[in-house]
């Protein structure tokens, strides 16, 4: 194991984190100028590993922090990393990282990056060989000088410290302290023994006097018992008489009170019935007001509707006459249009045929004229040109010109075709739109009637919804009227129930019920009392048997019960007892089979799925006619037996009975709370349902009004749309005609273009033929013949074309006249007539519809008035019936109240009598309790108290008691605890005797231990001295080969130095360590045989060498894993420095050395060198080569 690396930050002159390169496991040397931080480096290692920096105050910790330029350092740490491959540290890791961090307010250790205590760290170092009794593995500056200047006695103390005698001294000191304490205890024990013996002698006399006193006192207590016992018997007899009388009076009072309670309950029931009847009467009166208000409204509406129906009936006949005339004119116009459309259908094909014939003749005429013109032109050209070449050249130019015209013609034709296609699309679109508009016009009347029907239907539905809403409003008012009293009854029932529950139970049950409503848990059934139904006869029995178990809550399984309990506990929401059905296993009870014992479970009604829960509480209970029979069955069959009055006997023999207040019944309270709760829930549920229905109806009414408004707007839009629709239709038809005309024009233009194209193509063909023919000055014979034939043919075609053109013109005029008549006269007239018909029809229909709607509204109003009158008659009958019932109930309540007042007076009289009896009974009970207490205070009595004084009269006993009391006065100062005190002191004396023996034995043991410690201490010092002396001689011989050195032990009997043979004599060893006065050093530097000198006679360098030899000897006796030397060679001569360096080099094979020096000898033998530099008040350490280190040392020497 060795120091592998050291990291310093903020410690003294090392401000920044200084990570020192890993050390060599052998010899390491650190060089640096004075004040550069070498000593601070060694102080940092001592700060972590030694006890030099313990128990520091604030100022001392502050002094360890860096105080240079820049920001202040608040904390500092030193971290030492050990190589632990040999596992010298028992940590199981290859490295051990030990860090100590210090600040103004903290001082912490960490081991392998984990926090550790100082004790843990020191124990770990001790286990690795860092002995606190031998701290010489670290030799700071001045330590060698201190050893050099030590006196012999100081060296002896050093030797003792190395030998570890501090442990023996500490244990010897503790033993002496224990011996002193034991001696003090023994002295106190002796004093206590003397005091106890004196007190025992006094108690012997007091015992005889106490014995006489006890005889007299025994007689006194017997007499007092005789008097007290006779008084006790008298008081008991009188109490029994009062109990019998009181029981009879209580039975009468209980009977009257039961009657009074029943009367109160009947009065409560009557009050409830009276309240219900009064409430129903108020509701009926409110309904009557609503009915009368509705009747008045409907009557007003009916009067208005009568007037409206009469007016509409009068105007209906005049409108019908106007409609008949309009329809006749409309039919004539439609007939004319049909006839003209038939003519148009006949004439239009004829005109088209005439145009086609004309076009055909025209094409033939154009072809013939072109051919004739070409022949004439050819004839002229032949005369004009002189040669074929000129002619061909001209023909070529003409062909090119015609080609250009032909291209233009072709482009124009394509554009014309596109225009025609667009016009056809436009015509198709306009025809469809016109058709759609015409269809809409034709469908106008049915659409108008459909809109009117929709308006009427929506009105009817709105009236129905409004009537239904009024009914719901009346029902809501009735429910709200009933809900208030129901909630008040529920509040009273819950208050009564709350008095029977503690706060935790009440809060817990409320929370569980809320969770059940929210559906947060499944398998929640309810409390036993809520799930149970029982006849009135057995309610006292259920109360007595169930008790608080009536509030136990039934759940399905353990998991639900556990989760509910956990949540109640976690959120402090109360406490509830749960009955998990899957965990209840009812045992079969040994029930008596007799007529006077009925199993209670047979009288209960509950859900069979919950049988285990009810069996858990009522399964072992039987009903008996009286308490005597109940107690017999309870003891014989091990069951719980209950009477009809609620008196109870259990199997252990305990009897429970007495007055049972029916008003404190848990079962009744639970059932009342459940009944009124269910009623409130029912009313609230129905009220919420009615409110939801009202909200839905409000929404439906709003929707119906919106729909009515939309339907009316639609009807109005349809009524107002006929004129614009008719105008749009006429516009579309006009546009269609214009487009058709444009289309015809475009088609004619296309025909002309096509004719021109054919002509131009024929011209090109002719020119090409001519260009390939021979050049002649005149036409050929054939061409001349052809020219004559074409002239005759052209004349014939012209005459035929003129006839066909005239025929086509007449046909087109006829078609144009028919179309003008249709589009200008007939069709606009038809549109106007239809508009008038629709307006008349709309007005007539509106009037007819208005009449029907008015008649329907009149019927509805008449029916509503009749229904309201029937409801009013029923309401009147119900009010009379309930008023009669209310009067009967009021009379019955008054009678019952008179009867209860008489019972209350009787109960008060019985209570006054019973109160007097109770007062006397309490007085007797107090007297009896006092007598009983007096008897109990007498304690245990002798047998003669029950035999000798049994028949003595009270007067005689009192006289004898006076005599005995006077005799006891002379024993007023007797010690009544003499016997106890005597026995106590005897025990104390025995204890002290035993303790004296223990103290003597303990003192002897301590004496033996002290002797043993002294012996072991002497042995340790002698053994250490021998080892150190032997190692010192060997090391000195290595350092000074020509010389010799040894250690000398000094004793009191011999102040001077002794010869070596005298040191080992047996007589002096037996003198002990206490005879030692010091340790001296005797050396010779020149010869092994010359007379040796004491260290005081040596030079400074020789003294330092001797001190180093002593340090090396101590280290050899107790080796450490590594050694730290701070300038140990400062005062040595050159030859001795070389010897020391050589010895360190040899020792580094078994241990690590880290040294600082200013001498070259130690640098030359080092494995690794480090240089300490100081800049800006901050130190740093870096690895340097041996040459650089030697150069630095040489520079320092100069």
């Amino acid at each position: 194991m060795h120091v592998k690396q050291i990291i310093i930050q903020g410690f003294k002159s090392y401000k920044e984190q200084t990570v020192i390169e890993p050390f060599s496991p052998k010899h390491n040397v650190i060089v640096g100028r004075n004040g550069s931080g070498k000593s601070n480096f060694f102080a940092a290692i001592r700060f972590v590993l030694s006890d030099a920096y313990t128990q520091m105050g604030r100022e001392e910790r502050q002094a360890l922090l860096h105080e240079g330029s820049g920001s202040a350092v608040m904390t500092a740490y030193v971290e030492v990393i050990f190589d632990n491959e040999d596992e010298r540290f028992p940590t199981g890791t290859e490295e051990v990282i030990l860090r100590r961090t210090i600040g103004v307010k903290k001082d912490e250790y960490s081991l392998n990056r984990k926090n550790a205590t100082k004790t843990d760290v020191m124990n770990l170092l001790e286990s690795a060989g860092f002995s606190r009794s031998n701290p010489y593995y670290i030799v700071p500056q001045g330590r060698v000088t201190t050893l050099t200047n030590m006196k012999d006695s100081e060296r002896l103390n050093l030797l003792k410290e190395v030998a570890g005698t501090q442990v023996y001294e500490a244990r010897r000191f503790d033993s002496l302290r224990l011996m002193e304490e034991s001696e003090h205890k023994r002295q106190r024990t002796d004093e206590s023994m003397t005091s106890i013996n004196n007190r025992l002698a006094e108690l012997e006399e007091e015992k005889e006097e106490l014995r006489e006193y006890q005889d007299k006192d025994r007689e006194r207590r017997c007499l007092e018992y005789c008097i007290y016992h006779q008084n006790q018997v008298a008081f008991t007899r009188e109490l029994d008489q009062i109990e019998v009388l009181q029981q009879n009076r209580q039975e009468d009072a209980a009977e009257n009170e039961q009657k009074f309670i029943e009367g109160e309950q009947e009065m409560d029931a009557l009050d409830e019935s009276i309240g219900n009847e009064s409430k129903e009467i108020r509701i009926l009166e409110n309904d009557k007001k609503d009915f009368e208000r509705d009747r008045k409204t409907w009557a007003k509406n009916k009067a208005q509707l009568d007037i409206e129906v009469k007016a509409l009936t009068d105007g209906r006949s005049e409108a019908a006459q106007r409609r008949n005339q309009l329809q006749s004119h409309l039919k004539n116009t439609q007939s004319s249009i049909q006839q003209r459309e038939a003519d148009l259908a006949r004439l239009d094909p004829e005109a088209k045929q005439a145009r086609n014939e004309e076009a055909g003749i025209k094409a033939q005429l154009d072809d013939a004229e072109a051919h004739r013109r070409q022949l004439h032109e050819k004839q002229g050209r032949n005369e004009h040109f002189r040669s074929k070449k000129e002619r061909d050249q001209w023909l070529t130019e003409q062909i090119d010109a015609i080609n250009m015209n032909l291209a233009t013609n072709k482009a124009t034709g394509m554009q014309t075709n596109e225009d025609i296609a667009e016009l056809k699309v436009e015509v198709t679109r306009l025809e469809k739109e016109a058709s759609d508009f015409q269809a809409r016009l034709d469908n106008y009347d049915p659409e108008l009637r459909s809109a009117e029907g929709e308006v009427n239907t929506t009105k009817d539905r709105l009236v129905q919804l409004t009537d239904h809403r009024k009914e719901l409003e009346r029902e809501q008012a009735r429910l709200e009227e009933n809900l208030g009293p129901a909630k008040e009854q529920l509040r009273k029932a819950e208050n009564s129930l709350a008095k029977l529950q503690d706060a935790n139970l009440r809060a817990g049950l409320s929370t569980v019920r809320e969770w059940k409503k929210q559906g947060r848990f499944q398998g929640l059934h309810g409390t036993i009392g809520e799930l149970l139904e029982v006849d009135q006869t057995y309610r006292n029995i259920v109360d007595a048997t169930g008790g608080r178990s009536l509030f136990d809550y039934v759940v399905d399984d353990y998991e639900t019960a556990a989760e509910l309990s956990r949540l109640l506990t976690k959120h402090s929401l109360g406490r509830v007892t749960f009955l998990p059905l899957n965990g209840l296993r009812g045992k079969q009870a040994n029930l008596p089979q007799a007529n006077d014992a009925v199993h209670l479970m047979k009288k209960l009604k509950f859900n069979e799925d919950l049988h285990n829960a009810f069996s858990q509480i009522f399964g072992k209970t039987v009903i008996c006619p009286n308490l005597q029979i109940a107690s017999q069955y309870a003891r014989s069959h091990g069951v719980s037996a209950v009477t009809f009055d609620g008196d109870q006997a259990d199997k252990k023999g305990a009897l429970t009975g007495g007055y049972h207040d029916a008003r404190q019944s848990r079962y009744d309270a639970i059932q009342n709370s459940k009944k009124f709760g269910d009623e409130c829930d029912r009313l609230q549920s129905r009220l919420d349902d009615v409110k939801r229905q009202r909200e839905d109806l409000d929404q439906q009414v709003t929707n119906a009004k919106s729909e009515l408004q939309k339907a009316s707007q639609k009807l109005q839009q349809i009524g107002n749309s006929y004129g614009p629709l008719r105008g749009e239709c006429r516009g579309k038809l006009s546009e269609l005609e214009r487009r058709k005309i444009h289309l015809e024009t475009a088609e004619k233009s296309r025909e002309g273009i096509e004719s021109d194209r054919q002509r131009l193509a024929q011209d090109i063909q002719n020119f090409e033929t001519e260009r390939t023919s021979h050049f002649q000055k005149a036409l050929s014979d054939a061409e001349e013949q052809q020219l004559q034939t074409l002239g005759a043919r052209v004349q014939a075609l012209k005459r035929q074309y003129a006839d066909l053109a005239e025929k086509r013109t007449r046909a087109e005029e006829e078609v144009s006249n028919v179309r003008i008549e249709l589009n200008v006269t007939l069709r606009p007239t038809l549109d106007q007539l239809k508009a008038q018909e629709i307006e008349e029809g709309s007005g007539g229909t509106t009037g007819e519809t208005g009449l029907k709607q008015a008649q329907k509204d009149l019927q509805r109003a008449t029916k509503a008035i009749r229904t309201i009158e029937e409801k009013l008659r029923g309401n009147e009958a119900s009010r009379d019936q309930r008023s009669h019932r209310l009067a009967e109930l009021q009379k019955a309540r008054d009678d019952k109240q008179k009867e209860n007042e008489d019972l209350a007076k009787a109960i008060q009289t019985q209570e006054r009598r019973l109160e007097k009896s109770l007062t006397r009974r309490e007085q007797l009970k107090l007297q009896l309790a006092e007598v009983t207490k007096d008897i109990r205070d007498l304690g245990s009595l002798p047998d003669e108290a029950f035999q000798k004084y049994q028949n003595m009269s009270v007067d005689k006993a009192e006289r004898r008691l006076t005599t005995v009391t006077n005799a006891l006065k002379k024993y007023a100062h007797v010690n009544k605890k003499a016997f106890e005190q005597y026995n106590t002191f005897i025990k104390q004396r025995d204890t002290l005797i035993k303790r004296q023996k223990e103290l003597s034995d303990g003192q002897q043991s301590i004496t033996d231990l002290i002797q043993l410690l002294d012996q072991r201490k002497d042995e340790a010092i002698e053994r250490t001295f021998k080892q150190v002396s032997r190692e010192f001689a060997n090391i000195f011989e290595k350092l000074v080969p020509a010389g010799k050195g040894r250690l000398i032990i000094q004793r009191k009997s011999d102040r001077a130095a002794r010869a070596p043979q005298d040191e080992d004599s047996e007589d002096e060893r037996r003198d002990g360590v206490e005879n030692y006065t010091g340790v001296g050093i005797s050396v010779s530097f020149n010869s092994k045989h010359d007379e040796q000198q004491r260290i005081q006679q040596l030079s400074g360098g020789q003294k330092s060498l001797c001190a180093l030899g002593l340090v090396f000897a101590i280290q050899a006796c107790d080796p450490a894993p590594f050694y730290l030397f701070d300038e140990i060679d400062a005062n040595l001569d050159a030859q001795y420095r070389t010897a020391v360096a050589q010895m360190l080099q040899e020792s580094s094979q078994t241990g690590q050395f880290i040294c600082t020096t200013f001498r070259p000898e130690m640098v030359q033998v080092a494995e690794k060198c480090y240089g300490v530099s100081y800049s800006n008040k901050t130190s740093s350490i870096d690895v340097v080569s041996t040459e650089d280190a030697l150069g630095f040392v040489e520079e320092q020497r100069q």
Side-chain angles (χ1 to χ4, degrees), residues 346-389:
R346 177 178 54 79
L347 293 172
D348 197 39
E350 293 178 355
K352 286 182 180 180
Q353 184 179 0
R355 281 195 298 272
N356 292 336
E357 292 175 353
E358 180 186 9
I361 296 299
K362 181 71 167 60
Q364 294 177 13
L365 176 63
D366 292 339
D367 184 58
E369 286 182 343
H371 195 189
R372 190 179 65 169
R373 185 175 60 255
Q374 187 262 338
L375 290 174
H376 284 298
E377 289 174 354
K378 180 178 179 182
Q379 183 179 13
R381 284 192 299 273
N382 289 339
E383 295 175 358
H384 181 70
F385 297 110
R386 292 187 299 270
S387 64
K388 183 178 185 303
K389 182 179 180 181

Side-chain angles (χ1 to χ4, degrees), residues 104-363:
V104 177
K105 295 183 179 181
K106 71 174 182 178
D107 188 0
E108 300 173 347
Y109 285 88
S110 68
L111 183 62
N112 289 336
R113 311 298 184 193
K114 297 179 181 178
N115 290 337
T117 63
K118 180 181 179 183
T119 303
D120 295 338
V121 172
M122 293 305 164
N123 290 339
L124 182 67
L125 294 173
E126 191 81 22
S127 67
F130 298 94
S131 175
R132 278 182 279 184
S133 63
N134 181 14
Y136 283 90
Y137 64 91
I138 300 177
V139 180
Q141 283 187 20
R143 178 66 61 85
V144 174
T145 303
T146 302
L147 289 173
T148 301
N149 299 327
M150 269 187 179
K151 297 179 181 178
D152 293 346
S153 60
E154 292 175 346
R155 288 194 198 93
L156 177 62
N157 292 334
L158 173 62
L159 190 65
K160 289 181 179 180
E161 182 179 353
V162 173
T165 59
Q166 294 176 347
V167 177
Y168 298 112
E169 292 291 343
R171 294 189 62 184
R172 189 175 192 278
F173 176 78
D174 293 340
S175 300
L176 289 173
R177 181 172 52 79
L178 290 174
M179 182 180 290
E180 184 178 355
E181 292 176 357
S182 178
E183 180 63 24
H184 289 167
K185 291 178 181 178
R186 191 178 61 79
Q187 292 176 1
R188 289 197 298 271
T189 302
D190 293 341
E191 293 173 358
S192 299
M193 281 289 294
T194 303
S195 175
I196 287 172
N197 289 330
N198 294 334
R199 180 58 180 157
L200 285 173
E202 296 174 357
L203 288 173
E204 285 289 344
E205 298 176 359
E206 293 177 358
K207 280 168 59 180
E208 293 299 326
E209 185 178 9
L210 179 60
R211 191 172 289 111
E212 295 176 1
Y213 167 78
Q214 287 177 342
D215 293 339
K216 292 292 183 182
D217 185 66
R218 187 182 302 110
E219 184 179 2
R220 176 188 63 78
R221 289 190 294 117
C222 290
L223 291 169
E224 287 180 350
Y225 174 74
C226 178
I227 296 170
Y228 293 154
H229 178 66
Q230 293 188 25
N231 289 336
Q232 185 183 33
V233 171
F235 293 152
T236 303
R237 187 182 302 113
E238 187 175 356
L239 271 174
D240 292 340
Q241 295 173 356
I242 292 176
E243 287 291 343
V244 173
L245 182 61
Q246 184 178 355
Q247 183 176 2
N248 294 333
R249 289 175 177 172
Q250 282 180 343
E251 290 176 356
D252 296 339
E255 184 178 357
N256 289 335
E257 188 170 355
Q258 183 63 31
K259 292 180 180 179
F260 182 80
I261 292 172
E262 292 174 355
E264 289 287 334
Q265 292 175 349
E266 291 179 8
M267 287 178 62
D268 291 340
L270 288 170
D271 288 337
E272 182 179 356
S273 299
I274 290 171
N276 291 335
E277 293 296 333
S278 300
K279 178 178 59 181
E280 290 297 330
I281 290 174
R282 286 195 302 273
I283 292 172
L284 289 171
E285 289 176 350
N286 292 333
D287 290 345
K288 178 186 176 184
K289 293 178 182 178
D290 292 339
F291 291 150
E292 288 178 346
R293 184 170 56 251
D294 292 344
R295 183 175 63 176
K296 183 177 179 181
T297 301
W298 281 111
K300 183 178 179 181
N301 291 339
K302 183 175 179 297
Q304 293 176 350
L305 289 170
D306 286 334
I307 297 172
E308 184 177 354
V309 167
K310 186 175 182 304
L312 291 172
T313 303
D314 294 338
R316 182 170 55 177
S317 59
E318 184 178 351
Q321 185 177 358
R322 287 197 303 271
R323 282 199 303 273
N324 292 333
Q325 294 176 357
L326 185 62
Q327 286 177 358
S328 176
H329 193 187
L330 182 62
K331 286 180 181 180
N332 294 333
T333 305
Q334 288 176 343
S335 177
S336 299
I337 290 174
Q338 290 175 358
Q339 183 178 356
R340 302 312 292 165
E341 285 177 348
D343 293 340
L344 182 63
R346 177 178 54 79
L347 293 172
D348 197 39
E350 293 178 355
K352 286 182 180 180
Q353 184 179 0
R355 281 195 298 272
N356 292 336
E357 292 175 353
E358 180 186 9
I361 296 299
K362 181 71 167 60

Side-chain angles (χ1 to χ4, degrees), residues 650-888:
D650 62 20
K651 60 184 179 181
K652 296 181 179 179
L655 301 178
T656 304
Y659 171 68
H660 182 78
D661 189 355
R663 291 172 295 184
Q664 299 297 319
S665 170
R666 291 186 178 89
Y667 177 77
D668 288 343
I670 292 172
Q671 289 298 316
N672 287 336
S673 178
K674 179 184 177 184
K675 180 181 72 173
F676 293 126
D678 291 344
E679 178 66 13
C680 284
D681 290 343
R682 184 187 66 79
L683 292 174
Q684 187 65 50
S685 175
R686 178 56 187 162
L687 180 61
D688 295 339
D689 188 35
V690 169
K691 287 182 178 179
R692 283 194 299 272
Q693 291 182 21
R694 275 199 60 191
E695 291 175 358
D696 293 342
L697 277 175
D698 289 341
Q699 185 64 35
Q700 292 178 23
V701 168
T702 303
N703 294 339
K705 288 180 179 179
S706 177
E707 291 174 5
L708 179 60
Q709 185 178 3
K710 291 178 180 178
S712 300
Q713 291 176 353
K714 181 180 178 181
L715 179 61
Q716 186 178 1
Q717 290 175 356
I718 293 173
N720 296 333
S721 66
Y722 183 77
L725 186 64
R726 187 180 59 186
E728 289 185 11
C729 184
R730 284 200 300 267
K732 292 295 179 182
L733 290 173
S734 300
E735 181 68 19
L736 178 60
E737 290 298 325
R738 286 195 299 273
R739 292 298 179 183
K740 284 182 177 180
I741 293 172
H742 290 165
L743 179 59
E744 291 177 359
T745 303
E747 287 176 345
K748 289 180 180 180
S749 176
R750 182 177 63 181
E751 292 174 357
I753 292 170
E754 182 63 23
S755 176
D756 291 341
R757 185 187 65 77
Q758 292 176 359
R759 180 179 57 79
L760 291 173
Q762 185 65 40
D763 289 343
I764 291 175
Q765 183 180 1
N766 293 333
F767 285 145
E768 288 291 347
T769 303
E770 183 178 356
R771 189 169 55 176
T772 58
S773 66
H774 297 288
F775 180 73
Q776 296 178 358
K777 290 292 185 175
L779 296 174
S780 63
D781 294 337
E783 287 174 344
E784 287 288 345
Q785 182 64 35
Q786 187 179 10
L787 182 61
Q788 293 177 3
T789 303
L790 287 173
R793 189 169 183 273
V794 165
Q795 293 300 324
L797 289 172
K798 282 183 177 180
R799 289 191 297 270
Q800 189 177 359
Y801 175 72
D803 295 337
L804 290 174
E806 184 179 358
K807 180 181 179 182
R808 189 254 316 158
T809 302
R810 288 196 304 270
E812 287 180 350
E813 287 178 358
E814 290 179 359
V815 170
S816 177
N817 292 332
V818 171
R819 283 181 175 172
I820 290 172
E821 184 179 2
L822 281 173
N823 294 330
V824 177
T825 305
L826 294 176
R827 284 177 179 166
T829 302
L830 179 64
D831 291 342
Q832 186 176 4
L833 291 174
K834 282 186 175 181
Q836 291 177 3
E837 181 189 24
I838 289 172
E839 289 175 1
E840 286 293 332
S842 177
T845 303
T846 302
E848 187 68 24
T849 303
L851 178 60
K852 291 180 180 179
Q853 184 63 39
Q855 291 174 344
K856 189 174 181 180
D857 291 342
L858 181 61
Q859 292 175 359
R860 186 185 300 112
T862 304
K863 182 179 179 181
I865 292 172
R866 187 164 53 252
T867 302
I868 292 172
E869 288 176 349
E870 290 177 358
K871 290 181 179 180
L872 281 171
R873 287 193 294 273
N875 180 279
E876 187 69 26
S878 297
R879 281 191 296 114
D880 293 341
Q881 182 181 358
R882 291 190 178 275
S883 297
H884 180 69
R885 172 65 178 161
L886 180 62
E888 292 178 350

Side-chain angles (χ1 to χ4, degrees), residues 530-547:
E530 293 170 349
L531 302 172
L532 174 66
E533 292 183 11
V534 65
D535 190 75
Q536 182 68 35
T537 308
Y538 303 100
R539 294 197 173 184
N540 288 343
I541 300 173
V542 170
D543 269 328
T545 305

